[in-house]
Amino acid sequence: METISRPASMERITTPALAKKFIEEQLAALKAQIGSDKVLLALSGGVDSSVTAALLIRAIGKNLVCVHVNHGLLRKGEPEQVIRVFRDEMKANLIYVDATDRFLDKLAGVSDPETKRKIIGKEFIEVFAEEARKLDGIRFLAQGTIWPDILESEAGIKAHHNAGGLPDDLAFELVEPVRILFKDEVRMVGHELGLPDGMVYRQPFPGPGLGVRCVGAITRDRLEAVRESDAILREEFAKNGLEGKVWQYFTIVPDFRSTGVRDGVRAFEWPVVIRAVNTRDAMTATVEDVPFALLQHITERITHEVKGVNRVLFDLTPKPVGTIEWE
Ligand code: XMP
């Protein structure tokens, strides 16, 4: 299946009927390819791996083994949502690995952004490989590779991060059921498969997760401030009609503190930075014009509900010159 290309004549999947047709064709192809063998999938809860999982669950049921690795850098509620949707509702064979301590221990004291990213990527492969070795009779590895991944790696823009990475003793055959789809088509198919909107239409989220938003050396308390402030921002954007309108929005917590006053007492605490941007391809980005009253309301909530935070700032920088993420 790994040599399949998107046919030039393929109609863009823009309607539920076209999504349904794709799903039926894929289910037949998956059943033919896999038969009664077992398939392993790293399920992050992102759109691509979730739709891949949903298709495979329909095609082969419990012969799909999903592994959800919680690296401790996920957003608030994400691991719970993966468990609820896939284990409880779709009855999937899901292995949940809470590797939070392992990741945070490895990251302790590491402040260089690239080193942090490398540690997170390497540790992820290690945890996943350990889980894979515990399983018997796995023949295939499923991946949520999508068509832009292939195009970008062919054009030399981005290393195809999905392919490979696993040690040689885990040489599985690949299954890539959404390989020929563009992102909007993956969402259409996911919606048709009954995945919740919060999963299908969610904003992009980097592999290293909140780790690149907890600037510098990650500490548990500051990571918690990133997670809680991000949850408040998402909740307020959803309530105020900005969810689905703004391309990406999140919070960052830098590793410095400033003086404030709380209940008449000096409060030497962190700032939270809000970033909200729009883009077509993430190569350039403009800053969303968030209503001032909403920013004030979010500031009020964050400074009162998030432990250790006494200021809120808004990042006014387009890309270039600022990248979207801070690290
Ligand atoms: P930057 O910060 O480079 O980000 O302007 C552009 C887009 O890519 C996302 N991003 C990542 N996505 N793994 C990913 O899957 C990563 O390591 C990664 N780093 C950045 C970022 O969130 C933005 O949407």
Side-chain angles (χ1 to χ4, degrees), residues 26 33 51 56 62 73 101-102 108 110 118 232-233 245 268 271 275 283 299 303 308 322:
Q26 265 315 306
Q33 185 193 7
V51 174
L56 282 159
K62 300 267 192 220
L73 305 166
D101 289 342
R102 224 173 125 157
V110 180
K118 279 189 194 125
I232 291 173
L233 184 74
K245 173 177 177 277
F268 190 55
R275 187 119 175 92
M283 300 300 283
T299 301
T303 51

Side-chain angles (χ1 to χ4, degrees), residues 117 161 204-208 213 247-248 282 319 323-327:
R117 279 173 177 270
H161 53 267
F205 188 62
R213 299 172 184 172
W247 195 81
Q248 197 173 10
K319 176 181 180 176
T323 48
I324 295 177
E325 303 290 346
W326 269 39
E327 285 191 335

